[in-house]
Amino acid sequence: MLIKLKKFCKRETVLCTAIVLAVISSLWQTPSLDSIDFAVLSILFSLMLVVAGLKNAHFLDWLALELLHCCNSWRGVVLALISVTYISSMFVTNDVALITFVPLALIVGKQLQRDMTRVIILQTLAANLGSMVTPPGNPQNLFLYAHYGYTASKFFSVMALPGLLSIIFLGILIWRGADVKLQLTLPNAKKPPLLETAVLLLLLMLNIGAVLHWLDKTLALAITVVAILVRWRRLFVQIDYSLLVTFIGFFIFIGNISSTSLAVYIQQSLLGTAQGTYLAGLAASQFISNVPAAMLLAGLTNENDALLLGVNIGGLGTLIASMASVISYKLFVAEHPYQAGNYLRMFLYYNFAGLFLLGGIVYLLII
């Protein structure tokens, strides 16, 4: 039993941390249901259902294969893989983008007999950078968007410069690589079911509208749940409920500590300025990942723009700065176990280069 518990805690470290923090903080402060943001949980649940449906329909796989069929050079292949990862992460989260497109990159590499280490690292960068540009791109954006009551125009105005810098950064990295003409032979992509895909994409747009406050979140949840129950009931057992429980744990913890004297002191000192909050977001993300960093710091600061920028750019850096990065690492190492060390060295090189470059420019120009 103890061994199983250790394995579970190792696999679900963030979840266990959230539960422990919630329980410990509840020993001196009675938790309140008001601390739990059910609107965020409902929209997160809806998006998870829709994204799982799109994944099952193989829509993203089909889209990527169609793009790759148009490529006749190595640089074109790299551009296609990174572009589709960057753009899709804006809507289906960085995790799903990497789960979908890293295996495709590995297949391409095997067929062309090319080392895909650099390409997969660039895909990981693309997923983390692309997902920071939109509210539904990653869990921390979804949370911060609701927690601070952002409007769509305000959110996009804050993230516009980092988004532009990320495209330039990735473009430079792509064009620095050597190019060669090639003939890529891939299987014809099986077209996803037209009606099912159209319905799922409509549900995705519906929920994105709810995230942006254009539609009531409860209504979006009701429509999504009914549609899924009618046609794709199996999706209810395929989504990651641990993420929802993690959010609940952090909500309780934040509610419990937000009025303590220590929280007030931190808020008035370290997190009382935009500069301090931004640097705290960058630093905390390196050690505990950017999703929990966002949720912990949000209860301690009113510098919302600085925190939004800090935890998103803070997704670069260490392997655990964004848990999505762990996904691509595991997928790569499963295929190439003897290249794990080389992957980590190259990963840290590119990620810390991006962290210092993008993080520094944003600090100088925005913070």
Side-chain angles (χ1 to χ4, degrees):
M1 184 69 178
L2 185 60
I3 295 175
K4 288 183 178 179
L5 181 60
K6 286 182 178 179
K7 288 182 177 178
F8 176 81
C9 291
K10 185 177 180 180
R11 187 176 68 250
E12 298 287 356
T13 305
V14 178
L15 168 63
C16 294
T17 301
I19 293 173
V20 169
L21 290 174
V23 171
I24 292 176
S25 62
S26 296
L27 295 178
W28 71 78
Q29 178 70 39
T30 304
S32 170
L33 278 178
D34 293 336
S35 301
I36 301 174
D37 194 329
F38 289 101
V40 171
L41 294 176
S42 69
I43 199 64
L44 181 60
F45 180 61
S46 292
L47 284 168
M48 289 165 68
L49 283 172
V50 176
V51 169
L54 287 171
K55 184 181 175 185
N56 281 3
H58 301 290
F59 169 71
L60 296 176
D61 308 67
W62 169 80
L63 180 63
L65 283 170
E66 288 297 307
L67 284 174
L68 287 171
H69 278 130
C70 301
C71 299
N72 57 10
S73 71
W74 174 243
R75 186 173 290 159
V77 169
V78 175
L79 178 61
L81 287 170
I82 291 172
S83 297
V84 75
T85 304
Y86 185 95
I87 295 171
S88 65
S89 69
M90 297 180 184
F91 305 101
V92 298
T93 75
N94 46 2
D95 302 64
V96 173
L98 290 173
I99 289 171
T100 303
F101 300 123
V102 167
L104 183 59
L106 290 168
I107 292 171
V108 171
K110 187 177 293 184
Q111 184 188 104
L112 297 176
Q113 296 185 331
R114 296 185 71 102
D115 182 8
M116 299 300 286
T117 307
R118 183 174 181 271
V119 175
I120 290 172
I121 289 170
L122 294 187
Q123 281 185 294
T124 307
L125 282 170
N128 288 326
L129 292 172
S131 65
M132 74 178 180
V133 180
T134 64
N138 51 52
Q140 73 265 17
N141 279 2
L142 194 63
F143 166 72
L144 293 174
Y145 192 92
H147 181 77
Y148 289 113
Y150 272 102
T151 61
S153 59
K154 176 60 176 174
F155 180 93
F156 290 123
S157 68
V158 173
M159 298 309 298
L161 179 61
L164 177 61
L165 291 173
S166 69
I167 293 172
I168 295 171
F169 178 60
L170 289 170
I172 292 171
L173 294 179
I174 293 170
W175 254 260
R176 279 187 63 221
D179 193 20
V180 62
K181 294 291 182 180
L182 54 82
Q183 186 66 42
L184 183 63
T185 305
L186 288 170
N188 289 324
K190 182 181 178 182
K191 288 186 178 181
L194 182 59
L195 181 59
E196 291 187 10
T197 304
V199 172
L200 288 166
L201 288 174
L202 284 173
L203 289 174
L204 179 62
M205 293 301 105
L206 177 79
N207 282 284
I208 290 175
V211 172
L212 299 175
H213 309 309
W214 297 342
L215 184 72
D216 182 72
K217 293 180 176 63
T218 304
L219 178 60
L221 174 64
I223 294 172
T224 301
V225 168
V226 169
I228 299 299
L229 277 173
V230 170
R231 187 63 184 84
W232 305 284
R233 294 182 184 179
R234 66 188 183 279
L235 295 179
F236 285 98
V237 298
Q238 294 180 10
I239 64 175
D240 183 12
Y241 287 97
S242 66
L243 181 60
L244 297 173
V245 179
T246 299
F247 265 63
I248 292 172
F250 278 119
F251 280 139
I252 293 173
F253 174 68
I254 292 168
N256 289 343
I257 69 166
S258 59
S259 59
T260 63
S261 56
L262 176 60
V264 172
Y265 171 76
I266 294 173
Q267 185 176 14
Q268 293 176 346
S269 54
L270 176 63
L271 302 178
T273 65
Q275 292 84 354
T277 299
Y278 176 72
L279 294 175
L282 286 177
S285 297
Q286 303 308 306
F287 300 100
I288 63 173
S289 185
N290 53 4
V291 175
M295 300 190 73
L296 287 173
L297 296 176
L300 303 173
T301 182
N302 294 319
E303 297 290 345
N304 48 304
D305 293 350
L307 181 58
L308 178 66
L309 291 164
V311 295
N312 272 297
I313 297 173
L316 305 178
T318 64
L319 187 65
I320 64 168
S322 169
M323 294 309 293
S325 301
V326 179
I327 293 172
S328 51
Y329 170 74
K330 288 182 175 180
L331 289 170
F332 178 83
V333 171
E335 288 284 328
H336 305 286
Y338 299 109
Q339 295 186 43
N342 181 55
Y343 181 97
L344 282 174
R345 285 189 293 272
M346 192 179 295
F347 175 89
L348 292 173
Y349 171 78
Y350 281 110
N351 270 263
F352 274 101
L355 178 64
F356 288 119
L357 182 62
L358 300 184
I361 294 174
V362 167
Y363 183 85
L364 292 173
L365 297 183
I366 300 180
I367 304 301

